Amino acid sequence: MTAIQDHYPDDVAHCYGCGRLNADGLQLKTRWDGEETVAHVTPRPYHTAMPGFVYGGLIASLVDCHAMGTAAAAAERAAGRDIGDGPAPRFVTAQLNVTYLKPTPLGPPLEVRGRVRLATERKATIDVTVAADGVITARGEVVAVRIPETMVKKD
Amino acid sequence: MTAIQDHYPDDVAHCYGCGRLNADGLQLKTRWDGEETVAHVTPRPYHTAMPGFVYGGLIASLVDCHAMGTAAAAAERAAGRDIGDGPAPRFVTAQLNVTYLKPTPLGPPLEVRGRVRLATERKATIDVTVAADGVITARGEVVAVRIPETMVKKD
């Protein structure tokens, strides 16, 4: 199934966390899984907090990008469209809250899940979990807003 | 003036955001500036949200690491020690909240400032700002806790 990030317009597809046009980035991909969204990312060996554990800033990044993707996918669904039916709307982060429940082991792929708590056309609140080996290690709550026109630089 | 991260013990100095032993990392450095702490980081060209603006996950990472450094520096100060008087205590993130006030321009060095709101020997709450060209673009509130023994892998 196609990911929402594959349908961001080219001029807003350079995000370090999830932009398909950012060759140096993490390229997170958000897809529907029933009423939830899911993404899988394997941290790089240097994404360490302490040796053996994933860097908290990376976890915050995954929460952030997956929430933006979920907000975009939800806006499409609310409009009666599936991912890929057209260019995806682009959201940016207004508020990012992450609670670290326990250390996240470095090595296994991480499963990032999103659920829409509230959504309008212009704003959404998304709940996110991050899990390793089936154990949730962090929870996020993210407020997403539609991208302001001033953030889009046309060529 | 020496930075707190230069005095983390070797076995907990590999953080992607601020570890001096992580050659691939951001190597953020937290120093006292009166009652506040300060760090300066210039994002890399690929740390983009949209072209021209800094990735929010990077901002969250800087807030996170600077808050941990501030918590460690504050614990040292509370014990009557300056940075570098001995090995620095190591804190990890329990809660990370970031509010994005406006887009952060990509290019200029970012100034990250920390202030201790509450601190005990084992826990601290740190307020952080991120500014570009003198304008605050993000605010963070971070809860730091002393690192659990289980996160330190001795060689």
Side-chain angles (χ1 to χ4, degrees):
Chain A
M1 196 197 307
T2 186
I4 191 80
Q5 288 87 1
D6 293 330
H7 302 280
Y8 287 158
D10 284 356
D11 53 3
V12 290
H14 295 78
C15 174
Y16 179 72
C18 65
R20 69 180 179 280
L21 301 181
N22 191 326
D24 296 301
L26 306 170
Q27 305 234 351
L28 176 139
K29 303 284 187 189
T30 298
R31 296 178 170 87
W32 282 117
D33 180 24
E35 291 303 304
E36 296 190 341
T37 54
V38 67
H40 294 95
V41 176
T42 301
R44 297 170 189 168
Y46 53 77
H47 285 140
T48 45
M50 317 304 154
F53 299 103
V54 178
Y55 175 51
L58 181 79
I59 292 169
S61 298
L62 302 181
V63 168
D64 184 4
C65 282
H66 188 61
M68 294 310 106
T70 301
E76 284 291 86
R77 185 173 271 189
R81 290 188 293 270
D82 205 349
I83 291 174
D85 284 351
R90 195 73 170 85
F91 284 75
V92 292
T93 315
Q95 175 79 41
L96 172 66
N97 297 344
V98 182
T99 302
Y100 298 90
L101 303 170
K102 55 184 73 179
T104 301
L106 182 65
L110 303 182
E111 182 167 281
V112 191
R113 289 197 161 266
R115 182 172 276 270
V116 179
R117 191 196 304 173
L118 289 169
T120 66
E121 195 188 342
R122 304 210 64 78
K123 189 173 176 182
T125 301
I126 311 295
D127 292 315
V128 180
T129 57
V130 178
D133 292 331
V135 177
I136 292 174
T137 60
R139 291 186 181 277
E141 177 191 319
V142 190
V143 178
V145 294
R146 283 293 288 267
I147 188 170
E149 291 291 331
T150 51
M151 274 191 86
V152 183
K153 297 192 171 178
K154 299 290 182 185
D155 292 330
Chain B
M1 196 197 306
T2 187
I4 191 79
Q5 288 87 1
D6 292 330
H7 302 280
Y8 287 158
D10 283 357
D11 53 2
V12 289
H14 295 77
C15 175
Y16 179 72
C18 65
R20 69 179 180 282
L21 301 181
N22 191 325
D24 296 302
L26 305 171
Q27 305 233 349
L28 177 137
K29 303 284 187 188
T30 299
R31 297 177 170 87
W32 281 118
D33 181 24
E35 291 302 304
E36 296 189 341
T37 54
V38 67
H40 295 96
V41 176
T42 302
R44 297 170 189 168
Y46 52 77
H47 284 140
T48 46
M50 316 305 154
F53 299 102
V54 178
Y55 176 50
L58 181 80
I59 291 170
S61 298
L62 302 181
V63 168
D64 185 3
C65 283
H66 188 61
M68 294 311 106
T70 300
E76 284 291 84
R77 185 173 272 189
R81 289 188 293 270
D82 205 349
I83 291 174
D85 284 351
R90 195 73 171 85
F91 285 75
V92 291
T93 314
Q95 176 80 40
L96 171 67
N97 297 344
V98 182
T99 303
Y100 298 90
L101 303 170
K102 55 184 73 180
T104 301
L106 182 65
L110 303 183
E111 182 168 281
V112 190
R113 288 197 162 266
R115 183 172 275 272
V116 179
R117 192 195 303 175
L118 289 170
T120 67
E121 197 189 341
R122 305 210 65 79
K123 189 173 176 182
T125 302
I126 311 294
D127 291 315
V128 180
T129 58
V130 178
D133 292 331
V135 177
I136 293 174
T137 61
R139 291 186 182 278
E141 177 192 317
V142 190
V143 178
V145 295
R146 282 294 288 268
I147 188 170
E149 290 292 329
T150 51
M151 274 190 88
V152 182
K153 296 194 172 178
K154 300 291 181 186
D155 291 329

